[in-house]
């Protein structure tokens, strides 16, 4: 009698599906599948040396850059570097380290020493306090409302004035204390929580000669990247607002997103952009002629396109452009 050929399951001791699962798991453990590594980084001058700050967590990098001016630090834009590669067993940490190093190398190639040399003396310019009257008007407008989004709007505008060197430390501290005190009074306010929630992020911007536009997304990194790009291009840009929106079921998410968009538009309205335009019209603390000379010197550097864009971004921020 001829020998009967064994089935797949008989050969490998289980159902075909289970055998396939085991085979895939074994291949994964051996690093036979590619994985994506993402690193986010920026560069800045610290104690006279260029420092590269790298993290796999985008939120950490954008938060660092957002608050950097409070620590007299003036970094490049956030660079995202992605790498797809097979990961043999036990090699994940080593590969992640190599991707970090490659991110730093890319930053070094994009930003010559001349960028930091030209930026440093400009960044050391002492701030004026010309934005304080406009910020006090905004405080008066929201005082007694106890609305979280309004507080975020004020915080973001304070940050904008600080970054622009139009607000001095004592005034900055005074305004921040008012925000903390007001938020403390709201600590016991009830929050109606239902079954489903989403966190939305959004801001408005206005390019020269155009209507105010709105950006809303549930992905914070995309919103922060868009805001940074608009700032570097010279658009007048409102702060990013954040809100957790609750729904009875997932079918209401689109409606909730629409409500949040409307809230952002109501806060960052024509009247608010009039305030931003007044801030933009204030004389800058950084000497415009000195900035223009620094920009010209950098522009003759070969391969410094992104560095030039970032220096221009600081020029828009400091009312030099």
């Amino acid at each position: 009698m001829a020998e009967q050929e064994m089935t797949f399951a008989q050969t490998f001791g289980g159902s075909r599906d289970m055998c396939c699962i085991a085979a895939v798991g074994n291949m994964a453990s051996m690093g036979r599948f590619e994985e994506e590594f993402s690193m986010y980084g920026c560069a800045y001058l610290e104690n006279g040396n260029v420092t590269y700050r790298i993290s796999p967590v985008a939120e950490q990098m954008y938060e660092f850059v957002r608050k950097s001016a409070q620590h007299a630090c003036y970094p490049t834009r956030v660079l995202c570097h992605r790498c797809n590669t097979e990961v043999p067993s036990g090699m994940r940490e080593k590969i992640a380290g190599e991707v970090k190093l490659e991110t730093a190398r890319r930053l070094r190639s994009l930003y010559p020493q001349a960028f930091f040399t030209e930026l440093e003396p400009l960044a050391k310019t002492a701030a004026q306090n010309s934005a304080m009257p406009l910020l006090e008007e905004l405080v008066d407008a929201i005082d007694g409302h106890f609305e979280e989004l309004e507080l975020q709007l004020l915080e973001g505008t304070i940050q904008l004035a600080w970054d622009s060197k139009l607000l001095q430390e004592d005034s900055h501290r005074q305004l921040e204390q008012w925000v903390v005190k007001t938020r403390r009074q709201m600590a016991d306010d009830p929050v109606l929580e239902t079954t489903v929630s989403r966190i939305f992020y959004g801001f408005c911007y206005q390019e020269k000669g155009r209507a105010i536009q709105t950006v809303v997304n549930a992905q914070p990194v995309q919103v922060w990247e868009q805001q940074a790009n608009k700032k570097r291009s010279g658009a007048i840009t409102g702060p990013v607002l954040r809100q957790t929106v609750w729904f009875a079921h997932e079918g209401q998410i689109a409606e909730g997103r629409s409500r949040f968009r409307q809230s952002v538009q109501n806060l960052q309205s024509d009247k608010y952009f009039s305030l931003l335009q007044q801030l933009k019209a204030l004389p800058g603390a950084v000497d415009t002629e000195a900035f223009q000379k620094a920009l010209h010197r950098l522009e003759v550097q070969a391969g410094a396109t992104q560095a030039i864009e970032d220096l221009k971004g600081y020029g828009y921020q400091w009312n030099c452009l």
Side-chain angles (χ1 to χ4, degrees), residues 128 130-135 137-138 157 160-161 164 166 206 236 270-284 319:
Q128 300 175 355
S130 52
M132 187 59 174
L134 292 171
L135 293 171
E137 287 181 19
L138 186 54
T157 313
L160 186 153
S164 302
L166 299 174
Q206 186 174 34
I236 297 177
D270 289 339
K271 183 177 180 180
Y272 175 71
F273 267 78
S274 175
L275 182 149
L276 294 184
Q277 288 161 357
Q278 291 177 70
L279 287 173
K280 182 66 179 172
L282 292 172
N319 292 359

Side-chain angles (χ1 to χ4, degrees), residues 102-240:
E102 180 58 28
T103 306
R105 293 189 191 103
R106 287 192 62 193
L107 283 164
R108 185 172 60 187
S109 70
L110 290 167
Y111 296 93
Q113 179 65 42
F115 169 78
F116 303 99
T117 301
E118 298 294 353
L119 179 61
E120 183 182 26
L122 301 171
K124 286 183 175 180
T125 305
Q128 300 175 355
N129 208 40
S130 52
M132 187 59 174
L134 292 171
L135 293 171
E136 287 176 327
E137 287 181 19
L138 186 54
V139 169
D140 291 341
I142 69 172
D143 191 16
H145 293 185
F146 301 103
E147 292 287 344
E148 173 58 28
L149 285 179
E150 289 186 339
L151 287 182
Q152 290 182 32
L153 184 73
L154 175 60
E155 283 181 306
T157 313
I158 293 168
Q159 185 67 48
L160 186 153
W162 177 266
D163 292 344
S164 302
K165 294 185 177 293
L166 299 174
L167 188 67
Q168 293 176 345
E169 189 172 353
D170 287 346
S171 295
H172 182 274
R173 187 183 305 110
Q174 175 187 334
L175 291 165
E176 285 296 320
Q177 287 174 347
W178 186 90
V179 172
V180 170
K181 177 183 176 182
T182 303
R183 191 167 274 137
R184 189 181 298 124
Q185 293 175 312
M186 298 162 52
D188 296 327
D189 288 357
V191 177
L192 180 60
E193 298 183 1
T194 51
T195 308
V196 181
S197 69
R198 290 290 186 278
I199 302 175
F200 293 114
Y201 302 79
F203 70 97
C204 293
Y205 67 92
Q206 186 174 34
E207 295 171 324
K208 189 174 182 179
R210 297 190 176 184
I212 298 170
Q213 302 295 316
T214 308
V215 173
V216 169
N217 204 311
Q219 302 298 322
V221 173
Q222 293 184 19
V223 175
W224 295 329
E225 285 180 348
Q226 285 182 270
Q227 188 203 38
N229 289 337
K230 292 302 177 184
K231 285 182 175 181
R232 276 194 300 273
S233 69
I236 297 177
T237 308
V240 172

